[in-house]
């Protein structure tokens, strides 16, 4: 019964053996037989199955390289912004929180009549008459607090929650960053002049382009402004697309480019001191950031680490990072557009920033 079912099944066509060859004429003793050519398609497959089998082979051969070109992401797609998922109430909260933060920052730190910003600068400046030493000291203080709190993020969030820790982190880091920036603006030309390139034709355009690129790299962590303001619950993201395909640490690369461009333009010892401190801080951030991501994401981070590189384009050149065919679309998103607008705005607002900094007398 089993044999009858098997023979009655359509697949039994594939099990039929070729019939015994028939000859139309008797074989003479002197005749020679021509060898039978073996054709696997004609011998084993029925006529109906041949094109289907062939098409299947072609499909597999065609799609196999495409699968290798775009490995499955284990990290997150960066800079995504879906208007359909945005809530008006969230952005109202964001605007309100931003206004409150700026007001408190002005009263508690910036305003010389009420804030602690000037006494802080005076205290740090008292350690040396050298602007280079004070510049390095301000960067060291900021770097210690900023990276120190970042290292304590996991335990801090467990203790007081994600939003409260973000408020603490920003509340301490932001005033120190403002002090460092204002001091640099006010004393950037007070050092020893080492070179003078400002009169070289084309140097301004080149350094402006480098500065523009640096801002596109500097702020990938601010793609979700609602998390920055703690409107949405802050998360430690494992980004894998966009600029992360070029370098796993775009903030470090952006800071190095910014420092090189500004140091080349200013050309004195204060700029060299500021750039040295900032670059060292961000190089430490490369190690510390990888360490924290490894603790948080484990094997997923190791996969992303193998696909990416710290040095820009290194993973792409050695084949570990395979860019999708439509890679440019990962940059055609609102956060990148916003960064572009803010970068251009900051450039044209340089006179206002310089005037405001000089008015503080820090």
């Amino acid at each position: 019964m089993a044999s009858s079912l098997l023979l009655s099944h359509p697949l039994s066509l594939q099990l039929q053996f070729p019939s015994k060859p028939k000859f139309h004429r008797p074989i003479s003793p002197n005749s020679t037989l021509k060898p039978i050519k073996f054709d696997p398609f004609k011998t084993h497959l029925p006529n109906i199955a041949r094109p289907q089998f062939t098409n299947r082979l072609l499909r597999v051969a065609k799609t196999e390289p495409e699968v290798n070109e775009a490995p499955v992401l284990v990290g997150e797609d960066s800079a995504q912004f879906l208007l359909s998922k945005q809530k008006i109430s969230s952005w109202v909260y964001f605007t309100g929180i931003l206004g409150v933060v700026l007001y408190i920052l002005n009263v508690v730190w910036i305003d010389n009549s009420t804030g602690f910003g000037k006494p802080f600068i005076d205290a740090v400046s008292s350690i040396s008459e050298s602007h280079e030493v004070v510049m390095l000291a301000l960067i060291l203080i900021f770097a210690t607090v900023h990276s120190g709190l970042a290292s304590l993020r996991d335990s801090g969030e467990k203790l007081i929650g994600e939003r409260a820790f973000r408020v603490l982190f920003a509340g301490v880091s932001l005033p120190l960053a403002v002090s460092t920036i204002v001091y640099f603006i006010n004393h950037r030309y007070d050092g020893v002049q080492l070179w003078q390139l400002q009169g070289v034709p084309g140097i301004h355009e080149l350094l402006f382009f480098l500065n523009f690129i640096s801002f596109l790299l500097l702020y990938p962590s601010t793609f979700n402004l609602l998390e920055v303001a703690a409107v949405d619950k802050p998360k430690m993201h494992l980004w894998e697309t966009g600029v992360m395909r070029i370098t796993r640490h775009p903030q470090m690369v952006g800071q190095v480019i910014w420092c090189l461009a500004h140091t080349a333009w200013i050309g004195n010892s204060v700029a060299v001191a500021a750039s040295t401190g900032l670059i060292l801080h961000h190089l430490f951030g490369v190690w510390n950031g990888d360490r924290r991501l490894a603790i948080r994401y484990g094997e997923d981070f190791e996969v992303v680490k193998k696909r990416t590189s710290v040095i820009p384009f290194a993973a792409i050149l050695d084949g570990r990072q395979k860019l999708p065919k439509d890679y440019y679309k990962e940059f055609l998103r609102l956060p990148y557009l916003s960064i572009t607008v803010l970068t251009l705005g900051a450039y044209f607002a340089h006179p206002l920033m310089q005037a405001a900094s000089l008015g503080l007398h820090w």
Side-chain angles (χ1 to χ4, degrees), residues 254-320:
Q255 187 66 74
V256 170
I257 295 175
W258 185 93
C259 288
L260 293 178
H262 282 75
T263 302
W265 180 255
I266 297 172
N268 67 11
S269 56
V270 171
V272 171
S275 295
T276 301
L278 289 172
I279 291 174
L280 289 176
H281 168 51
H282 280 77
L283 289 177
F284 171 79
V286 169
W287 171 82
N288 196 33
D290 280 355
R291 181 187 65 84
R292 292 165 55 219
L293 287 172
I295 294 173
R296 178 68 66 97
Y297 289 101
E299 293 183 0
D300 286 348
F301 170 71
E302 295 302 325
V303 172
V304 174
K305 185 178 180 181
K306 291 179 181 178
R307 294 176 182 172
T308 56
S309 60
V310 177
I311 300 174
F313 300 104
I316 298 173
L317 293 176
D318 63 20
R320 291 184 290 117

Side-chain angles (χ1 to χ4, degrees), residues 15-34:
L15 301 176
Q16 295 177 359
F17 293 93
S19 59
K20 190 175 181 180
K22 297 179 180 180
F23 298 93
H24 297 283
R25 59 185 177 83
I27 305 174
S28 63
N30 297 326
S31 63
T32 57
L33 293 177
K34 295 181 179 180

